[in-house]
């Protein structure tokens, strides 16, 4: 089952004196976060309207409706921000990382089941899928040389196994 709300970032601090906040984005790019007009705060998912957003040094500077000063902005410090998945426009073939947890991982050559996606490590060069539940734990780089197919709807990922993996 897919979650309706997905974590996209964390408010780290205030920015300036007019109620803006700095947000650490948890997406492929900070620009992704700038496209939303409504975000949702913390586990309660209470909506907050975005007046404006811009990228600044791999962070996103956001101005929310109703926040006009430093004390107001400070009230959001350390808040986790969410999006409603129905508001997101993903390119063809793209998916949310949250949707691949638990997918079955299959060997592209043999069709054998290697385990399930248990974790995703987001490293500077590329993501790495941690596969558990098979004969041994695997760490598979999420790059085209290793990932033959990702089929979220059917519930599996096919991988090209290479010696030493």
């Amino acid at each position: 089952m897919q979650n309706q709300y997905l974590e996209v970032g964390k408010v780290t601090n205030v920015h300036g004196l007019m109620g803006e906040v700095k947000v650490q984005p948890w997406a492929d790019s900070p620009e992704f976060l700038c496209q939303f007009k409504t975000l949702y705060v913390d586990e309660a998912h209470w909506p907050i309207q975005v007046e404006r957003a811009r990228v600044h040094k791999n962070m996103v500077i956001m101005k929310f409706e109703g926040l006009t000063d430093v004390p107001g902005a400070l009230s959001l410090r350390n808040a986790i921000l969410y999006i409603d998945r129905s508001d997101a426009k993903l390119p063809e073939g793209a998916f949310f990382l949250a949707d691949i947890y638990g997918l079955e991982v299959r060997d592209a050559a043999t069709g054998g089941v290697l385990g399930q996606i248990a974790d995703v490590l987001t490293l500077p060069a590329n993501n790495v899928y941690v596969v558990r539940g098979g004969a041994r734990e695997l760490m598979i780089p999420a790059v085209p040389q290793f990932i033959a197919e990702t089929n979220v709807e059917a519930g599996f990922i096919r991988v090209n196994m290479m010696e030493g993996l």
Side-chain angles (χ1 to χ4, degrees):
M1 180 176 146
Q2 296 179 334
N3 293 333
Q4 178 183 355
Y5 297 100
L6 302 168
E7 293 181 0
V8 291
K10 179 179 180 178
V11 177
T12 60
N13 213 340
V14 299
H15 181 81
L17 302 173
M18 305 307 287
E20 289 182 316
V21 295
K22 287 184 184 180
V23 177
Q24 177 185 13
W26 296 340
D28 288 346
S29 72
E31 291 81 9
F32 178 79
L33 196 53
C34 292
Q35 71 180 308
F36 298 95
K37 298 295 179 204
T38 303
L39 294 176
Y40 301 85
V41 180
D42 288 333
E43 292 290 325
H45 302 129
W46 53 273
I48 190 165
Q49 301 303 310
V50 179
E51 279 185 21
R52 63 181 178 269
R54 69 183 188 282
V55 176
H56 179 70
K57 297 181 181 179
N58 291 329
M59 298 289 277
V60 178
I61 306 299
M62 294 193 140
K63 174 73 171 82
F64 295 113
E65 285 183 10
L67 293 183
T68 58
D69 55 16
V70 172
L74 276 172
S75 71
L76 282 181
R77 191 167 184 204
N78 294 320
I80 304 300
L81 299 177
Y82 295 77
I83 60 167
D84 184 328
R85 80 168 46 243
S86 63
D87 294 339
K89 310 287 187 276
L90 292 180
E92 183 70 31
F95 52 87
F96 292 110
L97 287 181
D99 295 340
I100 67 168
Y101 285 90
L103 290 187
E104 186 175 86
V105 179
R106 302 175 185 167
D107 185 322
T110 67
V113 176
L114 303 170
Q116 293 81 33
I117 301 288
D119 199 3
V120 178
L121 307 176
T122 52
L123 305 176
N126 53 267
N127 291 342
V128 174
Y129 298 158
V130 179
V131 180
R132 294 188 185 119
R136 60 190 170 99
E137 180 177 283
L138 300 170
M139 296 181 78
I140 301 172
V143 295
Q145 298 94 309
F146 291 98
I147 307 301
E149 177 185 4
T150 301
N151 191 327
V152 174
E153 294 78 25
F156 70 87
I157 293 177
R158 289 186 320 112
V159 297
N160 297 314
M161 293 298 292
M162 297 181 185
E163 193 173 327
L165 190 62

